[in-house]
Amino acid sequence: MEEVLRQLPKKAKEKHNENKKFFAKLRKKAPKDLDYTMQELHEKEFERTDCLTCANCCKTTGPLFTNADVERISKSFRMKPQKFIDAYLRIDEENDYVLQQVPCTFLGPDNLCSIYDVRPKACREFPHTDRKKFQQISHLTLKNVAICPAAFNIVEEMKKRIK
């Protein structure tokens, strides 16, 4: 896995223009069965991908925290939301709550998440390859293929299937 993660940014960069053109085409005219295809590719990939051997998303990027996330997580810590925000979050340039630092504070050395049951929505949905109206989040997917080997593989398989 370490070798895969080491090479992933380079491979994603090499495919960036190709992926960008592909997603632009999808946005103009998405196949009617795109969501079904993406769900199938997502499920197939995650049958063979174990996120616990990777956790690159947790090590290199931080999720956005919605107000609902802050409420839920702070409640699980028995903290006031503002105390949780002060302890773990900052406001980024787009006015969103994000982690103060990466790797994620809640990631253990065994790649397990200490707040898994109450983790942010962004973490629960990552890498977002099974979202409905997938073509609307292609900008996010372009970023995620450089972070997540599963997302990279899903996009490569998607390009083979959708001409």
Side-chain angles (χ1 to χ4, degrees):
M1 181 54 70
E2 288 176 28
E3 183 61 21
V4 169
L5 291 177
R6 196 178 62 70
Q7 291 183 8
L8 188 61
K10 181 178 181 267
K11 287 170 70 175
K13 189 175 182 178
E14 288 169 0
K15 298 280 187 175
H16 183 79
N17 287 339
E18 179 183 311
N19 289 346
K20 202 170 175 182
K21 286 177 189 171
F22 179 76
F23 287 135
K25 190 174 92 172
L26 273 187
R27 274 194 305 277
K28 285 181 187 161
K29 186 171 182 352
K32 65 178 186 230
D33 62 346
L34 178 63
D35 289 342
Y36 173 78
T37 301
M38 290 309 300
Q39 183 72 43
E40 182 187 328
L41 292 173
H42 178 91
E43 287 173 10
K44 194 173 177 183
E45 180 62 32
F46 281 99
E47 284 173 6
R48 64 177 176 261
T49 298
D50 178 9
C51 293
L52 292 177
T53 63
C54 179
N56 199 44
C57 51
C58 307
K59 293 172 184 172
T60 61
T61 61
L64 299 180
F65 285 71
T66 64
N67 288 332
D69 294 331
V70 170
E71 291 286 333
R72 185 178 60 259
I73 299 166
S74 63
K75 184 178 178 184
S76 78
F77 283 176
R78 293 183 168 85
M79 293 174 97
K80 297 264 186 235
Q82 191 57 51
K83 278 235 186 255
F84 176 80
I85 291 167
D86 294 342
Y88 299 104
L89 306 180
R90 66 178 175 82
I91 295 177
D92 72 0
E93 54 282 344
E94 293 169 8
N95 237 12
D96 293 315
Y97 285 122
V98 296
L99 291 169
Q100 289 177 4
Q101 62 190 36
V102 291
C104 179
T105 308
F106 307 112
L107 180 68
D110 54 1
N111 286 346
L112 290 174
C113 175
S114 64
I115 61 167
Y116 188 80
D117 291 339
V118 293
R119 68 195 184 280
K121 181 179 188 237
C123 297
R124 276 185 267 131
E125 295 179 354
F126 191 84
H128 313 286
T129 48
D130 61 345
R131 286 244 306 250
K132 292 201 183 323
K133 297 184 181 172
F134 174 80
Q135 73 277 12
Q136 294 177 352
I137 60 156
S138 57
H139 63 287
L140 187 59
T141 305
L142 275 173
K143 290 179 186 174
N144 291 344
V145 296
I147 298 165
C148 176
F152 183 90
N153 293 341
I154 290 167
V155 169
E156 289 305 299
E157 191 58 36
M158 179 176 67
K159 290 187 298 189
K160 290 176 192 170
R161 287 226 200 149
I162 302 170
K163 298 289 181 197

